[in-house]
Amino acid sequence: MLRIGCHLSSSKGYLAMAKTAKSIGANTFQFFTRNPRGGAAKPIDPEDIAAFLEYSEENDISHILAHAPYTLNAAAKDERIREFALMTMRDDMERLEHTPGSMYNFHPGSHVGQGTPRGIELIVSLLDEIITPSQSTTVLLETMAGKGSEVGGKFEEIAEIISRAKNPGKLGVCMDTCHIFDGGYDIKESLDAVLDEFDRVIGIDKLYAVHLNDSLHGYESHKDRHAKIGEGFLGTETFRAVINHPKLRSLPFFLETPNELDGYQAEIALLKSLYTE
């Protein structure tokens, strides 16, 4: 079965997101833990959580993915920026324990001129501060497009972060199709080779989720601009190959394409039609 969803607004709570997901044909979803530009999160509502867990069980909604705000930079040069990231992500870890078994995705960060080794050192330091051996949440490092001073544009960088962390068993990867293609991994012409490289460098067992996004600017552009499925440089057939690949097909897939709900509904229907049961 294809586990497919999209990014939904969390403003009305967990139950509302689950019902919205079901209404558009999704069986999972992604959401921001708080305003994507940062700021305080809404208080946890125990009644909403309980209703969500019951509804999700009844409607086979699982593998939900929380996304950290874009403004967080664990590799920042400015200590105040790193402290904000630490405070926010620590709070997110505590909140996500209300929905056991969730995943939490974040952009590793930008070293802003300090160099990649220093960036990796700072990211590992933050992860060691927020992750505990007993937590149920798996923290996912997102593959990046290699724009500017981003860390995570190469598989080796992500592998080093995971291997140096104190709790590597609580870490995984979310692969973004647009990002890796823009970053120089040709999943359009050489999907098998890219996945073999991922397995060799990081380990395919560390791949927990996939962001499905077409690419507006194309291979090795390092631009990180998403396009709707089939309307970018990757094309529909690439996504057919991705969602049916033996190493990927059992993973949850999340759309982050530039769409409203009706657009996501159409893309979910399209992807279901491409999926081989």
Side-chain angles (χ1 to χ4, degrees), residues 98-119:
H98 291 274
T99 52
S102 299
M103 297 178 290
Y104 180 73
N105 180 73
F106 81 108
H107 295 182
S110 296
H111 61 72
V112 288
Q114 301 174 92
T116 299
R118 176 58 175 163

Side-chain angles (χ1 to χ4, degrees), residues 121-142:
E121 179 184 346
L122 291 170
I123 294 164
V124 171
S125 177
L126 180 140
L127 291 173
D128 286 347
E129 287 282 339
I130 68 164
I131 295 176
T132 66
S134 61
Q135 71 182 48
S136 70
T137 303
T138 302
V139 178
L140 306 186
L141 297 133
E142 184 170 341

Side-chain angles (χ1 to χ4, degrees), residues 147-168:
K147 179 176 62 177
S149 61
E150 283 180 342
V151 179
K154 297 179 179 178
F155 294 162
E156 287 80 5
E157 295 168 6
I158 292 175
E160 184 174 351
I161 292 169
I162 294 173
S163 67
R164 290 176 57 179
K166 290 180 181 178
N167 295 289

Side-chain angles (χ1 to χ4, degrees), residues 177-197:
T177 55
C178 170
H179 293 179
I180 62 171
F181 189 60
D182 286 15
Y185 293 95
D186 193 354
I187 59 169
K188 182 174 184 176
E189 301 296 336
S190 305
L191 178 59
D192 284 335
V194 171
L195 293 177
D196 286 347
E197 183 173 356

